[in-house]
């Protein structure tokens, strides 16, 4: 994986692990037009024969359009970035693979990460046993991390603090 920008790979991994901002994915439809969507994600480090690589995992229904799109053209772009100053984030491109998740283990992990548990109606609806879920695993080829905290240090941290 090629790491570019002002952040180290370790800092990028830490940012992705601590943020619960949805990932924005850009892919291509079978007609060749761009498609963008936001999804929940989790970073995972995979150990392979003494080396490690990391992936970003998302979950969705087997019949979702993005599954069709990524099956045909698995290359995609992605971004996870803060919405309020000072802006920080990670963007890049890579390749997606799609695998069944009959136990909904990735989805369950995402529900717990983003909703804080599985007790809400939304969580229960998402984890309904009749759902046919898949995991989208993104293997980054190039990542670019940035942090404008120094450049924007005199900017309030969000719109709610501005007068």
């Amino acid at each position: 994986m090629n790491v570019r920008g002002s952040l180290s790979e370790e800092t990028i991994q830490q940012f992705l692990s601590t943020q619960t901002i949805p990932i924005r994915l850009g892919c291509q439809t079978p007609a060749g037009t761009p498609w963008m969507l936001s999804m929940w994600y989790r970073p995972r480090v995979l150990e392979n024969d003494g080396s490690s690589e990391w992936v970003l995992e998302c979950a969705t229904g087997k019949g979702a359009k993005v599954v069709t799109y990524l099956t045909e053209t698995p290359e995609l772009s992605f971004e996870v970035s803060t919405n309020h100053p000072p802006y920080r984030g990670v963007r890049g491109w890579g390749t997606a693979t799609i695998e069944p998740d009959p136990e909904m283990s990735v989805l369950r992990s995402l529900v717990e990460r983003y909703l804080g548990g599985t007790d809400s109606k939304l969580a229960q609806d998402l984890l309904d046993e009749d759902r046919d879920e898949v995991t989208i695993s993104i293997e980054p080829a190039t990542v670019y991390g940035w942090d404008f905290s120094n450049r924007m240090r005199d900017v309030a941290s969000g719109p709610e603090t501005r007068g």
Side-chain angles (χ1 to χ4, degrees), residues 59-62 99-104 107 126 128 130-135:
T60 193
K62 182 180 179 180
E99 295 190 19
D101 187 9
E103 302 299 318
M104 293 191 268
L107 178 60
L126 289 171
D128 184 288
D130 291 334
R131 289 177 57 102
D132 196 2
E133 289 291 310
V134 297
T135 298

Side-chain angles (χ1 to χ4, degrees), residues 139-155:
E139 184 179 336
T142 297
V143 294
Y144 181 93
W146 75 95
D147 184 344
F148 295 154
S149 295
N150 287 336
R151 184 163 103 179
M152 300 179 80
R153 73 177 67 115
D154 64 336
V155 178

Side-chain angles (χ1 to χ4, degrees), residues 24-97:
R24 296 169 192 101
L25 299 180
C27 61
Q28 185 174 315
T29 70
T33 56
W35 184 263
M36 180 171 273
L37 70 155
S38 296
M39 301 182 81
W40 292 345
Y41 77 95
R42 73 175 186 180
R44 289 230 9 232
V45 176
L46 306 175
E47 300 295 331
N48 292 327
D49 298 328
S51 66
S52 63
E53 63 180 79
W54 55 279
V55 298
L56 302 171
E57 293 180 325
C58 303
T60 193
K62 182 180 179 180
K65 288 181 181 181
V66 69
V67 172
T68 302
Y69 301 162
L70 291 173
T71 299
E72 187 161 314
T73 307
E75 292 77 23
L76 54 71
S77 57
F78 61 88
E79 180 182 79
V80 177
S81 62
T82 58
N83 292 317
H84 301 291
Y87 300 120
R88 309 180 289 144
V90 175
R91 67 178 164 251
W93 67 273
T95 304
T97 56

Side-chain angles (χ1 to χ4, degrees), residues 13-22 41-43 80-82 88 113-114:
Q13 288 179 0
Q14 181 180 14
F15 175 82
L16 292 171
S17 295
T18 59
Q19 298 299 311
T20 53
I21 302 164
Y41 77 95
R42 73 175 186 180
V80 177
S81 62
T82 58
R88 309 180 289 144
R113 175 178 162 95
Y114 283 85

